[in-house]
């Protein structure tokens, strides 16, 4: 949180003790020098300038895990302590073949299809129980993790611990298929690309969330009570269907915080709003006026003041609207950001003006804000950007439209399944169901299907052919283009001709051959377009579903598409998200002290932890912006 970080860094006073006297008898009272922070006048009176949220940093968690399903690349010798630790883990957790806990399972660490890995993740600030996160894995005794499935692994605070050492608190778990660098040849270690490290997209889940605590700079029952009232007034439990209040006073210097269910996947946003919330909410309109005037006078505070306006709520909207046409861009965008997040549909037109007249980050910010507003005109405006010549704009428009399509799908399913009766489903299940499939022909123009039960393929039938793949959150391959047919003559090969595709161009099927790293061959044919090819790549033939396929993982499918586009399959461009997971791990490791942070100030210290250095300072700073960057991938040279 920016206000809190600045305030702590600029504190002028510290808690101190004035000692006097040196003789016996009773000692004199020890007065305390109050903390007075150096903060801009416009921000005074907000919670973040008088208190610090403990737990508002990414939390490093890790553990040793077991991966199965390898192609004979595991089972190498292990250090004695790690072997003993994992044998004990297998015995205690009874890990089953699907990655869950099941009694009676038998796993041999010397099995060449099994490997031990180090699992690490950075849990987002304030993430509540049930929140998901990406996970990084690194092999301890394997040459490659291709095809691997991570069994359920306990994720504990700090660095992974060995048998016999003190255990830190378990706050999450991780499991799922491993996603490797998709732009390398499986089974090879050339060109500096390693197959021994990967990630699991959305594979972590918080099971025992750390508590959030608001610690006042200066103990005061009156001030603590005012903060509790301000928070609960702005975030009433009844509004979100929660039973417990968001804030609960503990004593004169401490307040317990809880993330409302509505902000479960946006905990960082909730913490920003709390930090920028005015302690005295009786004069909200007057404060909104002051914030708007400060926006004009001090544009450098635009980001902080935007949060302050949003923290006020709907009462700030009349004052935000005064700035929607302000000539200076930063103050105008700050007011529009607050208004859009508060659901003001009047922000749509000025935001579209920014989209059409600006470049760079301002344009992308405006597109992202439009995704939360209602109205069919917004869908049509965003669809017009799907053919933009700027790659980042095109992807941002797709992301906004996909988000809007998910929301519309959720509203439809909620009306169908959440009205009671025998067919009622849980809200969490309905929310997940709304993201699994998006029908064709919607106003958003985004179609979605799940392929092989492992990843999504989104289809956007607009513009020049483009394949865009995600590297965080839910695994997705996004296929853009009006014409994706495979009816032109071509001979394509990939991975040293272990995969070959042939099309005669006479309307017949594409003939396909694939030899896996173990030398097993699969031959089949495919008709249709690029999406049908992706389905065939990922299809796992089984007793219940005997359709032919190559049974490739998500990362192998992406790698195959990358390889084949230079061989004649299609003239599509290729782009991906920049990898932020590594930088987030570093940012999380830097917030960890020499000893792991206790849950609250009253808890006992946890075990010592040695945190590895994972990246340089530039990576940390880039990751701290939490802004995805689109990276075009050039064709692989032949």
């Amino acid at each position: 949180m920016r206000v809190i970080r600045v305030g702590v860094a600029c504190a002028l006073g510290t808690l101190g003790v004035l000692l006097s006297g040196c003789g016996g008898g009773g000692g004199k009272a020890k007065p305390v020098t109050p903390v007075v922070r150096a903060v801009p006048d416009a921000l005074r009176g907000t919670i973040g300038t008088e208190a610090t949220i403990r737990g508002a940093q990414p939390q490093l968690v890790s553990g040793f895990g077991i991966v199965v399903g390898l192609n004979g690349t595991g089972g190498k010798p292990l250090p004695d302590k790690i072997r003993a630790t994992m044998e004990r883990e297998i015995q205690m957790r009874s890990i089953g073949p699907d990655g869950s806990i099941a009694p009676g399972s038998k796993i041999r660490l010397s099995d060449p299809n099994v490997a031990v890995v180090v699992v690490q993740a950075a849990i987002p600030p304030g993430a509540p129980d049930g929140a998901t996160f990406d996970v990084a894995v690194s092999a301890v005794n394997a040459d490659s993790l291709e095809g691997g499935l991570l069994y359920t692994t306990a994720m504990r605070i700090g660095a992974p611990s060995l048998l016999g050492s003190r255990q830190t608190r378990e706050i999450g778990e991780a499991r799922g298929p491993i996603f490797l660098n998709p732009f390398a040849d499986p089974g090879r270690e050339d060109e500096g690309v390693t197959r021994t490290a990967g990630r699991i997209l959305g594979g972590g889940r918080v099971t025992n969330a750390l508590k959030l605590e608001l610690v006042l700079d200066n103990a005061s029952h009156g001030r603590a009570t005012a903060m509790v009232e301000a928070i609960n007034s702005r975030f009433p439990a009844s509004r979100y269907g929660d039973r417990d209040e968001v804030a609960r006073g503990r004593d004169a210097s401490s307040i317990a915080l809880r993330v409302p269910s509505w902000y479960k996947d946006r905990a960082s946003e909730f913490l920003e709003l709390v930090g920028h919330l005015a302690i005295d909410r009786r004069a909200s309109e007057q404060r909104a006026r002051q914030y708007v005037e400060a926006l004009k006078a001090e544009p450098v505070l635009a980001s902080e003041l935007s949060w302050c306006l949003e923290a006020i709520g709907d009462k700030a909207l009349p004052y935000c609207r005064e700035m929607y046409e302000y000539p200076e861009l930063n103050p105008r965008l700050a007011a529009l950001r607050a208004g859009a997040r508060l659901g003001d549909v009047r922000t749509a037109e000025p935001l579209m003006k920014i989209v059409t007249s600006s470049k760079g980050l301002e344009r992308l910010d405006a597109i992202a804000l439009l995704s939360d507003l209602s109205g069919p005109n917004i869908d049509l405006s965003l669809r017009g950007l799907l053919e933009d010549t700027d790659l980042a704009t095109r992807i941002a428009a797709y992301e906004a439209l996909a988000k809007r399509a998910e929301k519309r799908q959720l509203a439809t399913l909620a009306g169908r399944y959440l009205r009671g009766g025998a067919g009622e489903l849980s809200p969490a299940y309905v929310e997940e169901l709304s993201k699994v499939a998006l029908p064709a022909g919607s106003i958003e123009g985004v179609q979605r299907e799940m392929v092989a039960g492992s990843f999504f393929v989104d289809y956007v039938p607009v513009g020049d052919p483009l394949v865009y793949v995600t590297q965080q959150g839910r695994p997705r391959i996004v296929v853009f283009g009006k014409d994706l047919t495979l009816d032109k003559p071509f001979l394509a090969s990939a991975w040293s001709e272990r995969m070959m595709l042939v099309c005669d161009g006479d309307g017949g099927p594409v003939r396909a051959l694939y030899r896996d790293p173990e030398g097993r061959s699969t031959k089949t044919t495919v008709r249709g377009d690029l999406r049908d090819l992706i389905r065939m790549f990922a299809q796992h033939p089984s007793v219940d579903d005997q359709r032919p396929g190559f049974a490739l993982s998500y990362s192998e499918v992406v790698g195959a598409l990358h390889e084949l586009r230079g061989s004649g399959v299609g003239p599509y461009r290729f782009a991906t998200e920049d990898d932020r997971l590594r930088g987030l791990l570093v940012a999380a490791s830097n917030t960890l002290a020499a000893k792991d942070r206790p849950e609250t100030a009253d808890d006992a210290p946890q075990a010592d932890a040695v945190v590895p250095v994972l990246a340089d300072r530039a990576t940390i700073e880039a990751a701290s912006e939490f802004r995805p960057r689109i990276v075009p991938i050039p064709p692989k040279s032949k």
Side-chain angles (χ1 to χ4, degrees):
M1 296 180 57
R2 193 167 303 177
V3 170
I4 291 177
R5 287 198 296 265
V6 172
V8 172
C10 299
L12 296 179
T14 59
L15 295 179
V17 177
L18 302 179
L19 301 178
S20 61
C22 57
K28 293 185 177 180
K30 300 176 181 179
V32 176
T33 303
V35 174
V36 180
R37 303 194 189 198
V39 296
D41 290 340
L43 304 179
R44 289 197 178 278
T46 56
I47 290 176
T49 62
E50 298 186 19
T52 300
I53 298 179
R54 182 171 300 172
Q57 302 83 28
Q59 176 64 60
L60 179 71
V61 293
S62 61
F64 286 109
I66 294 177
V67 169
V68 298
L70 304 180
N71 297 314
T73 56
K76 304 296 189 292
L78 285 166
D80 292 342
K81 289 186 177 181
I82 294 181
R83 172 175 286 279
T85 299
M86 300 316 298
E87 288 176 345
R88 177 63 172 167
E89 183 75 7
I90 293 170
Q91 178 183 357
M92 292 186 63
R93 296 179 70 88
S94 298
I95 304 172
D98 63 347
S100 62
I101 299 175
S105 61
K106 295 182 179 180
I107 298 174
R108 293 184 298 107
L109 296 177
S110 59
D111 188 329
N113 297 321
V114 174
V116 174
V117 294
V118 174
V119 187
Q120 290 183 306
I123 295 181
D129 287 346
T132 59
F133 51 90
D134 293 344
V135 175
V137 296
S138 180
V140 176
N141 66 331
D143 297 325
S144 173
L145 295 176
E146 185 64 63
L149 170 72
L150 176 70
Y151 279 171
T152 301
T153 301
M155 303 296 285
R156 300 179 180 274
I157 295 175
S161 55
L162 295 170
L163 182 65
S165 62
R166 293 181 62 189
Q167 299 291 304
T168 57
R169 177 178 171 180
E170 179 180 337
I171 60 176
E173 62 182 22
R175 58 174 291 187
I178 297 174
F179 171 78
L180 299 182
N181 187 310
F183 309 117
D185 185 343
R188 296 182 60 182
E189 293 288 327
D190 58 357
E191 301 179 6
V193 176
T194 178
R195 311 297 293 178
T196 60
R199 76 202 74 173
I200 303 172
L201 304 183
R205 184 172 66 91
V206 178
T207 57
N208 187 21
L210 291 170
K211 293 180 180 178
L212 290 169
E213 182 185 22
L214 191 63
V215 181
L216 279 67
D217 292 346
N218 304 293
S220 167
H221 285 288
R223 209 60 172 160
T225 299
M227 290 183 184
V228 169
E229 291 176 351
I231 295 170
N232 290 333
S233 173
R234 177 62 174 85
F235 304 99
S238 59
R239 178 181 179 184
Y240 306 106
D242 298 340
R243 292 182 299 176
D244 300 324
E245 290 186 328
V246 171
R248 179 175 53 83
R250 299 177 62 193
D251 52 41
S253 61
S254 176
I255 298 169
L257 280 181
R258 181 187 59 79
V259 178
S261 58
W262 182 256
Y263 287 90
K264 177 175 66 73
D265 298 321
R266 300 176 293 146
S268 296
E269 180 181 336
F270 165 73
L271 296 178
E272 289 282 5
L273 291 173
V274 170
H276 292 83
L277 185 63
I279 300 171
D280 184 357
R281 289 178 55 80
R282 293 174 299 179
S284 296
E285 291 88 349
Q286 181 179 348
R287 274 196 168 271
R289 166 60 65 193
Q290 292 173 350
Y291 291 148
V292 166
E293 294 303 319
L295 265 179
K296 301 174 183 177
E298 301 180 84
V300 69
L301 297 177
S303 178
E304 288 83 355
L305 292 169
S306 179
W307 285 113
C308 289
L309 286 165
E310 183 183 352
I312 288 175
D314 291 344
K315 291 182 179 180
L317 286 179
Y319 304 93
C320 291
R321 289 167 183 161
E322 296 177 9
M323 300 291 291
Y324 288 175
E325 300 293 341
Y326 192 72
E328 192 172 348
L329 180 59
N330 282 346
R332 183 188 352 146
L333 188 55
L336 286 167
R337 185 180 297 114
R341 285 173 174 166
L342 291 171
D344 187 5
V345 294
R346 297 188 189 184
T347 60
E349 184 176 348
L351 283 172
M352 281 306 305
K353 288 182 180 179
I354 293 178
V355 170
T356 56
S357 62
S358 299
K359 300 292 183 181
L361 297 181
E362 293 84 5
R363 190 184 201 191
L364 301 182
D365 284 343
I367 293 173
L369 291 171
L370 285 167
S371 68
D372 290 322
L373 299 176
S374 60
N377 290 337
I378 297 176
D379 294 297
L380 297 176
S381 297
L382 289 172
R383 287 185 65 167
L385 299 174
L386 292 173
E387 298 186 76
D388 199 275
T389 56
D390 178 66
L391 179 61
T393 298
R394 196 178 183 190
I395 298 300
Y398 150 74
E399 293 284 7
L401 286 164
K403 182 178 178 181
R404 294 173 67 83
E406 290 176 358
K407 286 184 176 180
R408 189 173 57 81
Q409 182 86 325
L410 177 59
T412 300
L413 295 177
R416 184 181 304 168
Y417 295 115
L418 297 181
R419 291 180 177 175
E424 183 176 1
L425 303 175
S426 71
Y429 182 80
V430 172
E431 183 178 358
E432 286 301 307
L433 191 63
S434 69
K435 300 175 182 178
V436 170
L438 299 175
S442 68
I443 191 172
E444 295 86 9
V446 178
Q447 179 182 349
R448 173 176 295 166
E449 65 175 302
M450 177 172 280
V451 174
S454 59
F455 62 89
F456 295 150
V457 173
D458 284 7
Y459 176 46
V460 184
V462 175
D464 296 331
L466 166 69
V467 172
Y468 165 64
V469 298
T470 64
Q471 296 201 62
Q472 59 187 343
R474 294 176 178 271
R476 282 175 294 150
I477 297 175
V478 187
V479 181
F480 294 76
K482 299 176 182 178
D483 183 9
L484 302 170
T485 55
L486 302 173
D487 58 357
K488 298 179 181 178
F490 63 80
L491 170 62
S493 65
W495 300 331
S496 303
E497 298 189 350
R498 288 195 296 107
M499 178 183 289
M500 299 189 69
L501 304 178
V502 179
C503 181
D504 296 327
D506 56 359
V510 176
R511 303 188 299 278
L513 166 68
Y514 172 64
R515 295 194 312 275
D516 66 21
E518 299 301 310
R520 297 181 292 264
S521 297
T522 300
K523 294 182 180 180
T524 186
T525 59
V526 60
R527 294 178 180 270
D529 59 18
L530 189 60
R531 292 172 294 168
D532 296 294
L533 189 64
I534 293 172
R535 296 185 190 105
M536 187 273 291
F537 283 163
Q539 174 65 25
H540 288 246
S542 64
V543 175
D544 297 328
D545 187 350
Q546 299 185 13
R547 288 177 297 174
F550 292 166
L552 300 184
S553 67
Y554 173 58
S555 56
E556 287 177 315
V557 171
V558 173
L561 293 173
H562 170 54
E563 284 265 335
L564 291 171
R565 67 170 177 147
S567 302
V569 172
Y572 51 87
R573 298 174 69 190
F574 205 98
T576 184
E577 289 177 305
D578 195 13
D579 178 19
R580 294 183 296 159
L581 178 57
R582 186 177 177 87
L584 292 175
L585 285 171
V586 181
S589 69
N590 282 355
T591 66
L592 201 65
K595 289 182 179 290
D596 286 325
R597 179 180 63 79
E599 180 184 343
T600 70
D602 299 328
D603 291 336
Q606 302 284 350
D608 291 341
V610 178
V611 180
V613 175
L614 302 173
D616 56 22
R617 173 58 56 182
T619 304
I620 299 171
E621 293 175 350
S624 66
E625 294 297 325
F626 290 89
R627 183 190 301 277
R629 186 170 66 93
I630 308 304
V631 182
I633 305 295
K636 189 171 182 179
S637 58
K638 298 296 181 181

